[in-house]
Amino acid sequence: MKKFPTLCLAIIYSGSMLFAQTAEKTIKVIVENPWNTAKTDEPVVIDIHSLNTGFTVKSAVVKEGNNEIPSQLDDLNFDLRADELAFVTNLPAQSKKVFTLTLSSAKTNKTYPARVFAEMLFRTAKSNEYAHGTAVYAPGDSYTYTILQHHGIAFESELVAYRIYFNEKQTTDLYGKFNKGLEIEESMFYPTDEQLQKGFGDDVILVRGSCGAGTLRGWDGSQATDIQPVAFRGQRLIASGPVRTIADAEVKGWEYQGKELNMINRYTLYAGHRDAQIDVLFDQPLDKETFCTGVQNIGYSATMYSDHEGLVASWGTDWPVGDTIKYKKETVGLATYIPKKYIRKEAKDKENFLYTVSAPQEKSFRYYTMFTSRKETFGFPDSKTWFSYAQEWKKSLEQPCKITIEK
């Protein structure tokens, strides 16, 4: 069914004010799961520009039958116009669902229950007072680590929380939870003793100089390297829910392997997910530049798993912070999956289990990372179950749902 935008000027004249009728467009979206396994909280993302609405989309309603489901519109480039619509759905094995999307030129105050959360907090001159922000940039030689609370953007689903260090490491640091729920707005990644007694989670990994979980690093032929020197370094908070969070770690003028690269590492975390989608974006096609990513060798003695075709995982125990009196050791499982076409070879150094990657003549590539903490009441008891789950996770990513739009 196609409903064209109504632009007839049912004009009401009052003084010098003109009011035009709201424009709407309704489309049908068919989502099919061809796989023999059910999918839970499967992301569905629609490119708004491909719909050719003829108007600026300012709100949307997604329905499955007569039931409205949570969705969000995201502006990816800060031009104040929606670029994508996103929602999640559950799909039985070998099934399909039909959704109706109604796009409108009118704004709405409608809200949905949040299943994810993200924040960027600037430190202020007053202790324990912070200013909310959406972007920060600084010269590449600036000391930026302490500018932001939790040292960078933090984002979470009900299952896990991440933060991205705002410095040359750009590492993902990890916050594990005992129970499912959103905690970061209240704990700000640093729970108080009272919050810990209530069952809040906490930092579960000491990343040192590693790639943590899935951080993209440079590669010098024998080990991972930091993202430096750069002309400018920045972070941007693009979306904070209720369906997904989107956070950018950006560098401009990265002097790397004889080139100057402008690069964005974009992290997307969906409701119901412990895995983050990582899109690496460049403003020019790559040549032969080689990078690396993978998982940390936790405590330098982690158990490692690799399928030698893009999946690498680890399981290990270490102190999560330098304070070994107040805190106890944490056991953590990590996993990273890179599509095979980007892989050049397996590698490792003192800190990491890695794959080296490249994408000649391409301006972007995508891969995924995830983690679990042994403290989870809903998680994994040992390395065997974690590595088994990682293999199923890879299979699921390689069997994406088919999305068909009927305008």
Side-chain angles (χ1 to χ4, degrees), residues 337-354:
Y337 163 62
I338 309 105
K340 190 174 180 179
K341 66 178 180 178
Y342 301 125
I343 293 195
R344 296 301 166 257
K345 67 177 183 178
E346 288 188 79
K348 65 179 181 179
D349 57 21
K350 178 182 177 182
E351 302 273 1
N352 307 288
F353 304 120
L354 302 163

Side-chain angles (χ1 to χ4, degrees), residues 215-221 223-228 254 256-257 263 290-293 349 354 356:
T215 307
L216 188 79
R217 310 300 291 272
W219 178 250
D220 69 1
Q223 64 182 354
T225 62
D226 292 338
I227 309 299
Q228 64 176 352
W254 179 20
Y256 185 65
Q257 296 185 355
M263 177 181 73
T290 300
F291 313 94
C292 70
T293 189
D349 57 21
L354 302 163
T356 63

Side-chain angles (χ1 to χ4, degrees), residues 25-169:
K25 183 171 185 175
T26 300
I27 64 172
K28 182 191 296 184
V29 176
I30 302 170
V31 183
E32 299 176 75
N33 176 15
W35 201 30
N36 58 5
T37 301
K39 288 180 174 283
T40 302
D41 288 321
E42 179 71 7
V44 179
V45 181
I46 308 297
D47 178 4
I48 296 297
H49 303 293
S50 69
L51 304 179
N52 299 316
T53 60
F55 57 87
T56 299
V57 177
K58 296 183 179 180
S59 63
V61 173
V62 178
K63 287 187 175 182
E64 181 185 350
N66 294 323
N67 298 320
E68 184 175 349
I69 62 174
S71 63
Q72 70 185 64
L73 290 167
D74 292 322
D75 169 19
L76 303 181
N77 58 4
F78 281 78
D79 65 356
L80 302 184
R81 288 172 171 76
D83 297 298
E84 292 182 348
L85 181 145
F87 60 95
V88 296
T89 186
N90 299 334
L91 289 156
Q94 298 180 335
S95 69
K96 71 177 180 180
K97 288 186 176 181
V98 179
F99 301 90
T100 301
L101 277 57
T102 302
L103 308 171
S104 174
S105 63
K107 292 183 178 180
T108 180
N109 293 322
K110 182 180 296 185
T111 60
Y112 300 106
R115 295 184 60 196
V116 294
F117 175 76
E119 66 181 7
M120 172 186 281
L121 295 177
F122 292 95
R123 299 179 186 272
T124 68
K126 296 183 179 180
S127 178
N128 297 321
E129 289 191 16
Y130 307 94
H132 288 267
T134 56
V136 58
Y137 289 84
D141 58 357
S142 300
Y143 182 74
T144 52
Y145 185 69
T146 57
I147 291 174
L148 300 176
Q149 171 67 359
H150 36 67
H151 304 299
I153 292 175
F155 53 95
E156 68 175 329
S157 68
E158 304 102 322
L159 284 72
V160 294
Y162 298 78
R163 61 177 170 180
I164 309 170
Y165 283 143
F166 184 32
N167 63 6
E168 67 281 357
K169 293 182 179 181

Side-chain angles (χ1 to χ4, degrees), residues 180-204:
K180 292 183 180 180
L182 302 181
E183 301 182 6
I184 297 303
E185 186 173 19
E186 187 173 349
S187 75
M188 294 191 294
F189 222 93
Y190 302 107
T192 63
D193 290 343
E194 291 75 17
Q195 289 170 336
L196 290 172
Q197 290 176 2
K198 290 179 182 178
F200 273 59
D202 203 351
D203 193 339
V204 293

Side-chain angles (χ1 to χ4, degrees), residues 158-331:
E158 304 102 322
L159 284 72
V160 294
Y162 298 78
R163 61 177 170 180
I164 309 170
Y165 283 143
F166 184 32
N167 63 6
E168 67 281 357
K169 293 182 179 181
Q170 297 191 179
T171 315
T172 54
D173 197 15
L174 313 176
Y175 179 110
K177 303 181 181 185
F178 286 98
N179 304 298
K180 292 183 180 180
L182 302 181
E183 301 182 6
I184 297 303
E185 186 173 19
E186 187 173 349
S187 75
M188 294 191 294
F189 222 93
Y190 302 107
T192 63
D193 290 343
E194 291 75 17
Q195 289 170 336
L196 290 172
Q197 290 176 2
K198 290 179 182 178
F200 273 59
D202 203 351
D203 193 339
V204 293
I205 196 168
L206 185 62
V207 298
R208 296 188 175 90
S210 76
C211 69
T215 307
L216 188 79
R217 310 300 291 272
W219 178 250
D220 69 1
S222 61
Q223 64 182 354
T225 62
D226 292 338
I227 309 299
Q228 64 176 352
V230 302
F232 293 94
R233 190 181 312 280
Q235 289 195 354
R236 294 190 301 166
L237 176 57
I238 294 175
S240 57
V243 172
R244 67 177 180 176
T245 67
I246 306 175
D248 282 358
E250 181 174 5
V251 292
K252 292 183 179 293
W254 179 20
E255 297 176 20
Y256 185 65
Q257 296 185 355
K259 303 290 181 63
E260 285 193 358
L261 303 179
N262 296 332
M263 177 181 73
I264 295 173
N265 291 344
R266 176 165 294 170
Y267 292 80
T268 304
L269 179 65
Y270 287 92
H273 283 245
R274 66 173 64 250
D275 59 324
Q277 170 187 300
I278 306 173
D279 290 286
V280 186
L281 312 172
F282 300 89
D283 63 343
Q284 298 290 331
L286 292 168
D287 189 11
K288 297 179 181 179
E289 298 88 350
T290 300
F291 313 94
C292 70
T293 189
V295 293
Q296 182 181 8
N297 178 8
I298 306 157
Y300 305 119
S301 59
T303 303
M304 189 269 279
Y305 169 82
S306 173
D307 70 352
H308 313 297
E309 293 186 340
L311 176 65
V312 62
S314 63
W315 179 276
T317 302
D318 194 14
W319 302 103
V321 295
D323 184 348
T324 61
I325 303 300
K326 179 179 178 180
Y327 295 89
K328 63 179 182 180
K329 286 187 175 182
E330 297 279 359
T331 298

